[in-house]
Amino acid sequence: MGEVRATDLAKPFFVLYVVWHPSFELGEKIADAMMQHFRRDLYKNIVGGAGIPVVFRNACMPDNDIPISINPEDSEASAIIALVDDNLCESQSWVDYVKGLSEKTEESNKNGFNNLLFPVSFNKEALHKVNLSEQALRWDSWKGDNNEKTMRLISELTYEFCRMLRHHLAQLENPSNKNLENYLKKVQIFLSHSKHDIDGIEIATSIRKRIHEGHGLSSFFDVNDIPAGLRFDEVLLAQVRISAMIAIHTDSYSSREWCRKEIIEAKAWNVPLVVANSINNMDERGFPYMGNVPVVRLGYDVADVSRIDIVISRLLDEVLKDFLWRCQTHEIRKQLPSRAFLIPRPPELISLSCIPEGPELTDTASTETILIYPDPPLSTEEERLINRVSPNVQLRSLAEWKAGATR
């Protein structure tokens, strides 16, 4: 059973603040969309029941024309999203409020990038009036209607949050001064696809193109990215281990040896993984280890970039979930018994093959292995199946382990 320190309860780990002028009607709709996205079930089980805290700053204090101040030190990490429109820029007190947030985040980031301000520009003139040093997200230059732009904003921010938490995790594991070079490294995406389907190659090419057009992500596209002189198999498997993966499930995918190897390697290393379902006719024998991860219907129309955007956004959510889990369990990891392991997704049969081997012990109780995973607890039938295969492996959700639950 793990101990929960008082500081864990007093200080949230990661908080999002959304700032907008009360006269900006679209601002409220955007803030509501962000609230629904980051507090939904997808994040609830990682963050501890309520999702990522999303706090609004649009209502002014009594006898004042600006909201309550924001203190970045109230959480381990925070992101302030400032929606900069004409209403905000025409009020000097609101301009000063946002500039004050910029100064606070800069002051708090002397040793890292734990608290950042993300301005969102709704027109170029408004951005110039505020005159912030931080690079803005340019809503005003994006194509599409407001719903499409809102989805893009959430996706772009999710990617930036991934960068923030990746740097935070590196600081937890190896405390050092802030490292801009490491922060700027792109999130790698591995495009696993079958070359025996024309659809597979075309879809992977379209996803790669879309990735490079948007978030500043980096993609690994098999032979195109293997340096001359290096062994194909070594580079491929090494790249899987350090990437998030999109598995493009076309008709021949499950029948291809290297597609299966890539999936198994991704599962063994617990990398974020999303399956893009692009079955055209049928898959003769679905590969069993492609389950237990999100599956998104992509189809096989390479011109439908809206579906590609959904796949990429869903993968970014998985990457952010992974960093949230690893950051928030960093201290817990130090308290674990020698045969207890934290895994970032619900356990499955392949999880048993990835348990590190330890020394042989004569005490039966000591040889029990515990796998601790994000809530909610596994269903009874799944747990029974794993127990039938490995009766000495105990499964506990994080909440169960903290509470000292036993079977």
Side-chain angles (χ1 to χ4, degrees), residues 185-315:
K185 287 180 180 177
K186 298 178 179 180
V187 172
Q188 296 267 354
I189 295 182
F190 189 101
L191 299 175
S192 177
H193 62 286
S194 168
K195 293 181 176 56
H196 288 257
D197 286 318
I198 294 178
D199 289 342
I201 298 173
E202 291 182 346
I203 293 169
T205 303
S206 295
I207 295 176
R208 180 185 177 94
K209 180 181 178 183
R210 192 64 174 169
I211 285 171
H212 291 177
E213 287 175 350
H215 301 273
L217 295 159
S218 177
S219 64
F220 187 88
F221 194 69
D222 206 351
V223 293
N224 294 292
D225 297 303
I226 298 177
L230 297 185
R231 293 179 61 89
F232 171 89
D233 53 347
E234 289 181 359
V235 174
L236 211 59
L237 294 181
Q239 192 66 38
V240 169
R241 297 168 189 170
I242 61 171
S243 304
M245 178 183 286
I246 296 175
I248 302 166
H249 188 187
T250 51
D251 293 27
S252 71
Y253 185 91
S254 298
S255 68
R256 308 313 304 167
E257 176 187 1
W258 269 100
C259 292
R260 297 193 300 268
K261 283 184 176 181
E262 289 160 7
I263 289 290
I264 290 175
E265 195 73 6
K267 286 290 188 75
W269 286 86
N270 288 314
V271 304
L273 168 63
V274 166
V275 174
N277 185 323
S278 295
I279 297 292
N280 187 359
N281 184 24
M282 63 179 291
D283 184 353
E284 193 66 41
R285 177 185 178 263
F287 192 50
Y289 303 112
M290 294 178 72
N292 203 38
V293 297
V295 179
V296 180
R297 177 60 186 165
L298 175 59
Y300 44 90
D301 180 2
V302 296
D304 188 359
V305 295
S306 64
R307 298 304 305 175
I308 293 175
D309 287 344
I310 291 172
V311 172
I312 295 172
S313 296
R314 191 62 186 83
L315 182 67

Side-chain angles (χ1 to χ4, degrees), residues 163-203:
R163 280 176 148 173
M164 287 180 66
L165 297 191
R166 178 182 63 186
H167 189 274
H168 184 79
L169 179 64
Q171 292 283 73
L172 289 174
E173 294 176 343
N174 185 22
S176 61
N177 294 328
K178 63 191 296 185
N179 188 322
L180 181 59
E181 182 179 349
N182 287 341
Y183 183 91
L184 293 175
K185 287 180 180 177
K186 298 178 179 180
V187 172
Q188 296 267 354
I189 295 182
F190 189 101
L191 299 175
S192 177
H193 62 286
S194 168
K195 293 181 176 56
H196 288 257
D197 286 318
I198 294 178
D199 289 342
I201 298 173
E202 291 182 346
I203 293 169

Side-chain angles (χ1 to χ4, degrees), residues 23-43:
S23 299
F24 185 34
E25 294 182 4
L26 179 59
E28 183 173 0
K29 294 177 182 178
I30 294 170
D32 285 340
M34 294 183 63
M35 169 79 79
Q36 293 175 21
H37 183 84
F38 290 109
R39 291 187 71 85
R40 64 184 172 135
D41 290 343
L42 176 65
Y43 288 99

Side-chain angles (χ1 to χ4, degrees), residues 11 49 65 84 89 109 126 166 175 181 245 256 295 326 343 373 397:
K11 200 171 187 179
D65 57 355
V84 181
C89 295
N109 285 334
R166 178 182 63 186
E181 182 179 349
M245 178 183 286
R256 308 313 304 167
V295 179
R326 290 162 63 188
I343 57 176
Y373 58 92
S397 72

Side-chain angles (χ1 to χ4, degrees), residues 45 64 76 92 99 133 136 181 226 237 262 271 295 377 379 391:
N45 299 328
N64 208 328
E76 295 291 332
Q92 187 59 47
K99 285 186 174 180
S133 299
E181 182 179 349
I226 298 177
L237 294 181
E262 289 160 7
V271 304
V295 179
S379 64

Side-chain angles (χ1 to χ4, degrees), residues 51-121:
I52 300 174
V54 180
V55 181
F56 294 170
R57 284 291 189 270
N58 68 309
C60 299
M61 296 183 293
D63 302 321
N64 208 328
D65 57 355
I66 57 173
I68 299 172
S69 182
I70 297 172
N71 183 3
E73 303 300 328
D74 286 344
S75 58
E76 295 291 332
S78 66
I80 303 173
I81 299 95
L83 308 181
V84 181
D85 80 316
D86 288 332
N87 295 288
L88 188 150
C89 295
E90 289 168 2
S91 169
Q92 187 59 47
S93 57
W94 272 83
V95 170
D96 292 342
Y97 178 79
V98 173
K99 285 186 174 180
L101 296 177
S102 174
E103 293 170 0
K104 286 182 179 180
T105 53
E106 182 182 16
E107 179 67 24
S108 67
N109 285 334
K110 290 182 177 179
N111 296 315
F113 301 94
N114 292 341
N115 304 290
L116 294 181
L117 172 66
F118 297 96
V120 182
S121 168

Side-chain angles (χ1 to χ4, degrees), residues 45 48 325 372-377 396-405:
N45 299 328
W325 170 257
I372 304 166
Y373 58 92
D375 288 279
R396 299 286 184 274
S397 72
L398 183 59
E400 288 179 318
W401 183 77
K402 284 183 176 181

